[in-house]
Amino acid sequence: MEKQTIHSLAEYGVIEAVQWLKLGVETIGALIIGLGILVAGRLFLKALLARQTADFTAIRLTLARYLALALEFQLGADILSTAIAPSWEQIGKLGAIAVIRTALNFFLSKEMKDERAVTSENHINRRAEHGASEG
C-alpha cells in the first residue's frame, strides 16, 4: 500500500511540474508576441512620423520573426500538455493544433524568406543604379 502511495505522490508531483512548465512556456510565448508587437509598433510609428510609409516590409519581417518564435513556444506548450497520460481527445486536439501552428510557421517563414530576397535584390539594384549614375 505504501509503494502505491509513494508512486501516486510522485506521479502527482510530475503532473503538477509539467503543468507549471507548460504555463511558463505559454507565458514566454505570449511575452514574445507582446514584445514583437511593441517593437513593430515602434518601427511603424517611426516610419509614420518620418513619412516613409511606402514600404512596410521591414516592419512586417520584424513582427513575423517574433510571431514565428512565439509559435514554436506555443507548440512546445501544447506538446507538454499531452506529455502526461493523454487521452485520445487530447492527442487529436494536439494533432490539429500542431498542424495549424506548423503550417502558420511554415508560411510565415516562407514569406520572410521571400521578402528578404526581394529586399536584398532591391538593395543590389539601387546600388547598381547609384554606381552607374556616378560613372
Side-chain angles (χ1 to χ4, degrees):
M1 185 80 166
E2 187 175 318
K3 280 189 176 186
Q4 189 172 6
T5 304
I6 292 171
H7 178 343
S8 297
L9 288 173
E11 185 177 7
Y12 176 76
V14 169
I15 290 170
E16 284 294 309
V18 169
Q19 288 176 340
W20 278 105
L21 182 58
K22 176 187 178 273
L23 180 61
V25 173
E26 285 177 332
T27 302
I28 291 169
L31 290 173
I32 291 170
I33 292 171
L35 182 61
I37 290 169
L38 290 175
V39 170
R42 183 181 62 81
L43 292 173
F44 179 70
L45 288 175
K46 188 176 171 184
L48 282 178
L49 293 174
R51 297 182 190 262
Q52 296 174 336
T53 57
D55 187 15
F56 292 119
T57 302
I59 298 167
R60 289 178 59 237
L61 287 175
T62 299
L63 183 57
R65 281 187 208 100
Y66 283 93
L67 292 175
L69 179 60
L71 278 169
E72 295 292 341
F73 276 92
Q74 296 299 331
L75 182 58
D78 292 331
I79 291 169
L80 279 171
S81 70
T82 59
I84 38 177
S87 67
W88 283 108
E89 182 181 345
Q90 288 174 314
I91 291 171
K93 285 180 183 178
L94 173 64
I97 290 168
V99 167
I100 291 167
R101 289 193 175 159
T102 302
L104 282 172
N105 209 1
F106 172 79
F107 288 111
L108 203 52
S109 296
K110 184 179 179 336
E111 184 176 352
M112 286 189 307
K113 182 180 175 185
D114 293 346
E115 290 291 340
R116 269 191 238 119
V118 168
T119 302
S120 178
E121 185 178 313
N122 289 343
H123 179 70
I124 290 169
N125 289 340
R126 273 185 262 141
R127 287 187 69 188
E129 289 171 5
H130 181 67
S133 67
E134 286 181 354

